[in-house]
Each structure stands twice: as structure tokens, then as C-alpha cells.
């Protein structure tokens, strides 16, 4: 028994299996590099150390609180965090066969890592497994300042926008 405890404590290439908690999964998150905001926005993906594969996130019930936890785990600001469920045309789930998907999570927003959030118990796996090209999670981690060029949204029911909806071309004045 003593040798078994020692062998479990040794670091190895695979994560520790905790049999006392059957819902425990260790994984790390990252954002894809196909964004204009390098390392601050992109499609969410997980690295599963057990299978050695990178798995995309297609959780249709992914929330802004989950996105805040993702940004915190990546060491980014969490005040202006946005999340979209959007198509991803560079990834085809019918070609990339995934061995194991990460179980969906439900975060409060204060957790340090996404794998520390509670499991969202759902029997409908089509809500979080990548079955098509149209339901991928895109996360944007904005800065903590109130109003910046990258700020998207509204402020207490007031929406900020351009003074005119018409586009000015050359020297011609815009139509008011």
C-alpha cells in the first residue's frame, strides 16, 4: 500500500486519476490564433492530457461567467469579456474525429480555472458536442478599462454608435 501511494505522487506524462471524485477532469484552455487580437480572442479549445488531443468547445449553454473564468485562467482581464456562439469554417467535426469531449461546465465567475467549475448535468450531449460547423464558442477577453476601441455593447440601455448610418465616400457629404 505504501508503494502504491508513492507511485501515485510521482509526476508523470498523464494527469492523476482521482477515483474519489468520478467527475474530476483536468484540462487546460487556450484560444485559437485566428484572431486580430492575438492571444486575447479566439475559438475556445481544451487540451486533454489523457488523450493528448486538442478538443474544440461547442457548448451551446456556455455563459459569460464561463468566459470570465477562461480569461482569468489565461491571465487576462475579466471586466469586458464577451462570448459568441458562431460558425468555425476552418474546423470540420466530420473530418477531425474527437476521442473525448470535455464535460460542460457551469461557472459562478470567481473560479480560477474552468476545470474547477461545477459540471452542468445534462443528458442532451448535442448541446455541447461538436456535431456541425456552426456552434463553436468564441471568447473575447477585453481590457479592464470602461470604454476602449474594442468595447462592444451598451451602457444601461444606451447604445453608442456613429452619428450617421450613411458612409461617406471621397469629398461627398453624408446624407443626414
Amino acid at each position: 500500500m505504501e508503494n502504491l501511494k508513492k507511485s501515485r505522487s510521482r509526476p508523470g506524462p498523464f494527469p492523476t486519476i482521482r477515483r474519489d471524485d468520478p467527475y474530476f477532469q483536468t484540462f487546460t484552455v487556450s484560444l485559437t490564433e485566428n484572431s486580430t487580437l492575438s492571444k486575447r480572442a479566439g475559438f475556445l479549445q481544451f487540451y486533454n492530457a489523457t488523450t493528448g488531443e486538442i478538443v474544440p468547445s461547442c457548448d451551446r449553454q456556455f455563459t459569460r461567467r464561463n468566459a470570465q473564468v477562461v480569461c482569468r485562467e489565461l491571465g487576462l482581464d475579466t471586466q469586458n469579456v464577451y462570448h459568441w456562439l458562431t460558425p468555425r469554417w476552418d474546423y470540420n467535426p466530420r473530418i477531425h474525429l474527437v476521442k473525448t469531449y470535455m464535460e460542460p461546465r457551469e461557472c459562478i465567475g470567481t473560479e480560477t480555472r474552468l476545470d474547477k467549475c461545477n459540471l452542468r448535468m445534462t443528458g442532451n450531449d448535442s448541446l455541447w458536442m461538436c456535431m456541425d460547423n456552426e456552434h463553436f464558442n468564441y471568447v473575447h477577453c477585453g481590457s479592464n478599462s470602461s470604454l476602449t476601441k474594442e468595447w462592444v455593447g451598451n451602457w444601461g440601455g444606451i447604445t453608442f454608435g456613429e452619428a450617421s448610418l450613411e458612409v461617406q465616400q471621397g469629398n461627398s457629404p453624408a446624407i443626414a
Side-chain angles (χ1 to χ4, degrees), residues 15-16 18 21 23-29 46 65-66 69-70 72-73 102-120:
T16 305
R18 298 188 184 179
D21 186 358
Y23 298 110
F24 185 78
Q25 279 184 308
T26 300
F27 55 85
T28 56
V29 299
F46 308 110
R65 299 292 182 199
N66 290 25
V69 173
V70 167
R72 183 176 295 112
E73 182 174 348
M102 297 298 125
E103 296 283 336
R105 303 292 170 154
E106 186 172 15
C107 300
I108 297 171
T110 58
E111 295 89 353
T112 56
R113 298 175 43 90
L114 191 62
D115 62 5
K116 301 293 183 197
C117 297
N118 289 330
L119 284 174
R120 187 179 67 244

Side-chain angles (χ1 to χ4, degrees), residues 121-173:
M121 305 306 266
T122 177
N124 189 353
D125 59 1
S126 67
L127 290 176
W128 53 272
M129 293 177 95
C130 299
M131 302 293 182
D132 55 24
N133 289 51
E134 298 184 16
H135 299 98
F136 288 85
N137 298 115
Y138 189 88
V139 175
H140 171 267
C141 302
S143 64
N144 278 348
S145 58
S146 297
L147 296 174
T148 62
K149 288 182 181 179
E150 63 191 34
W151 189 74
V152 180
N154 56 35
W155 181 51
I158 300 171
T159 302
F160 297 97
E162 295 293 324
S164 173
L165 297 177
E166 300 296 325
V167 178
Q168 286 185 342
Q169 296 180 358
N171 292 333
S172 64

Side-chain angles (χ1 to χ4, degrees), residues 28-35 37-46 54 62 67 70-71 74 76 82 88 137-141:
T28 56
V29 299
S30 63
L31 301 176
T32 59
E33 295 290 329
N34 57 354
S35 171
L37 297 171
S38 179
K39 300 187 190 311
R40 293 185 49 201
F43 288 103
L44 178 62
Q45 54 192 11
F46 308 110
I54 295 176
F62 196 83
V70 167
C71 293
L74 295 173
L76 301 170
Y82 300 99
R88 182 175 174 185
N137 298 115
Y138 189 88
V139 175
H140 171 267
C141 302

